[in-house]
């Protein structure tokens, strides 16, 4: 039996070369799970780390029964890591948080309050602790994406989200599509999402995996890929069936 099936929420944590953050991550997640509003577990997805992250993840999982992991043979990127989490977890809800702890597990409570009413609830980073240059890049990229997709999302880069699993599994997860979750939700018949302010903290350890290309130019190019895909997305609603 897939162990995640006995939980209501699987918190998916993509990890790429975050060895320096794992001790803090273990501390925060182990403190949060017992007080989470729903029964929750953690699924680490090691994205082909070249440092000691995988060894650290295995150590954490050996100490806590509510922690599990999968690992890639080589780095495949954030969209692939999230897709693997969606593919392997069998809980009713999926959560997503980054390993750098610039957002914190306790703020899942803010998203879970509304998840019964929406297909997805996403965080919007308030009081961002990034450099002014990163904030400008993010503002430009988010503005261009909204213009291209009309999704209304303020901060798709916020790494704190909760999804209904049946909705998340329908996302066409091409490389870079993690930036378009609100737009992808709106492609699905009857689906909706809500945005909720969450806290943001400075990175305390490790190095950011984002730079000018994958924070700005890459996402801008991906907008055109999304527009192409949207015109060809098969959308239907079954109104009758005799399948039991």
């Amino acid at each position: 039996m897939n162990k995640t099936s006995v939980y209501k929420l699987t918190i998916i944590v993509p990890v790429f070369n975050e060895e320096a953050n794992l001790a803090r991550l273990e501390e925060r997640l182990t403190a949060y799970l017992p007080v989470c509003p729903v029964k929750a577990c953690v699924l680490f997805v090691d994205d082909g780390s070249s440092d000691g992250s995988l060894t650290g993840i295995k150590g954490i999982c050996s100490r806590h029964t509510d922690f599990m992991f999968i690992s890639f043979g080589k780095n495949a990127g954030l969209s692939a890591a999230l897709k693997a989490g969606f593919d392997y977890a069998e809980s009713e809800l999926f959560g997503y948080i980054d390993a750098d702890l610039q957002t914190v597990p306790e703020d899942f409570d803010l998203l879970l309050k509304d998840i019964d009413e929406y297909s997805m609830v996403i965080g919007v980073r308030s009081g961002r602790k990034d450099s002014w240059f990163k904030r400008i890049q993010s503002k430009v990229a988010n503005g261009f994406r909204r213009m291209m997709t009309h999704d209304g999302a303020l901060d798709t880069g916020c790494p704190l989200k909760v999804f209904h699993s049946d909705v998340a599994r329908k996302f066409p997860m091409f490389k870079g599509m993690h930036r378009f979750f609100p737009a992808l939700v709106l492609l699905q018949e009857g689906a909706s999402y809500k945005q909720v302010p969450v806290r943001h903290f400075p990175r305390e350890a490790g190095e950011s995996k984002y730079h000018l290309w994958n924070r700005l130019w890459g996402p801008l190019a991906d907008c055109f890929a999304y527009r192409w895909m949207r015109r060809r997305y098969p959308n239907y609603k079954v109104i009758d069936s005799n399948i039991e």
Side-chain angles (χ1 to χ4, degrees):
M1 181 184 73
N2 184 313
K3 290 193 293 183
T4 63
S5 64
V6 303
Y7 298 88
K8 177 141 187 197
L9 170 69
T10 300
I11 298 173
I12 300 167
V13 187
V15 177
F16 178 60
N17 291 347
E18 294 286 359
E19 180 181 11
N21 277 309
L22 289 180
R24 294 175 53 243
L25 193 59
E26 178 181 10
E27 180 181 0
R28 296 298 291 266
L29 287 169
T30 53
Y32 176 66
L33 291 187
V35 299
C36 180
V38 298
K39 186 177 181 181
C41 65
V42 173
L43 176 62
F44 292 111
V45 182
D46 179 63
D47 186 16
S49 295
S50 57
D51 63 359
S53 292
L54 181 55
T55 299
I57 288 169
K58 289 180 177 179
I60 294 172
C61 293
S62 71
R63 292 188 288 273
H64 308 285
T65 57
D66 295 330
F67 287 66
M68 289 147 267
F69 78 93
I70 56 179
S71 63
F72 294 168
K74 62 180 181 179
N75 179 248
L78 181 55
S79 291
L82 289 170
K83 177 171 172 32
F86 298 164
D87 289 344
Y88 277 79
E90 294 185 358
S91 53
E92 178 184 335
L93 301 173
F94 297 153
Y96 158 45
I97 189 172
D98 274 351
D100 59 17
L101 286 176
Q102 289 197 257
T103 53
V104 291
E106 293 80 4
D107 283 357
F108 274 122
D109 290 9
L110 303 174
L111 311 187
L112 289 166
K113 286 194 305 184
D114 295 304
I115 194 59
D116 288 344
E117 306 299 322
Y118 296 90
S119 309
M120 176 180 75
V121 183
I122 62 176
V124 177
R125 291 168 288 189
S126 58
R128 283 187 64 175
K129 301 303 187 291
D130 290 325
S131 69
W132 66 270
F133 187 51
K134 288 182 179 179
R135 294 197 301 271
I136 288 174
Q137 291 175 50
S138 180
K139 184 176 181 178
V140 170
N142 275 303
F144 186 77
R145 189 210 65 259
R146 284 195 300 273
M147 180 184 71
M148 294 286 283
T149 66
H150 306 290
D151 63 4
L154 301 174
D155 184 16
T156 60
C158 179
L160 199 70
K161 297 177 172 69
V162 174
F163 319 79
H164 283 275
S165 59
D166 58 338
V167 171
R169 290 195 184 99
K170 293 177 183 176
F171 292 155
M173 290 293 287
F174 300 102
K175 186 175 182 179
M177 285 297 104
H178 62 274
R179 304 181 185 97
F180 295 87
F181 284 153
L184 294 174
V185 162
L186 296 178
L187 288 179
Q188 298 184 30
E189 180 72 30
S192 61
Y193 78 94
K194 182 176 182 178
Q195 305 178 77
V196 176
V198 297
R199 295 172 291 172
H200 190 246
F201 299 89
R203 175 184 270 273
E204 293 188 16
E207 296 182 357
S208 174
K209 311 306 182 295
Y210 294 95
H211 45 72
L212 182 62
W213 173 256
N214 59 22
R215 184 181 283 111
L216 186 57
W217 302 120
L220 297 186
D222 289 339
C223 285
F224 292 98
Y226 168 80
R227 289 280 291 260
W228 178 90
M229 183 190 66
R230 183 178 65 182
R231 292 194 299 269
R232 292 158 177 81
Y233 188 79
N235 205 346
Y236 60 88
K237 181 178 181 180
V238 175
I239 62 170
D240 196 10
S241 172
N242 70 346
I243 298 176
E244 297 180 359

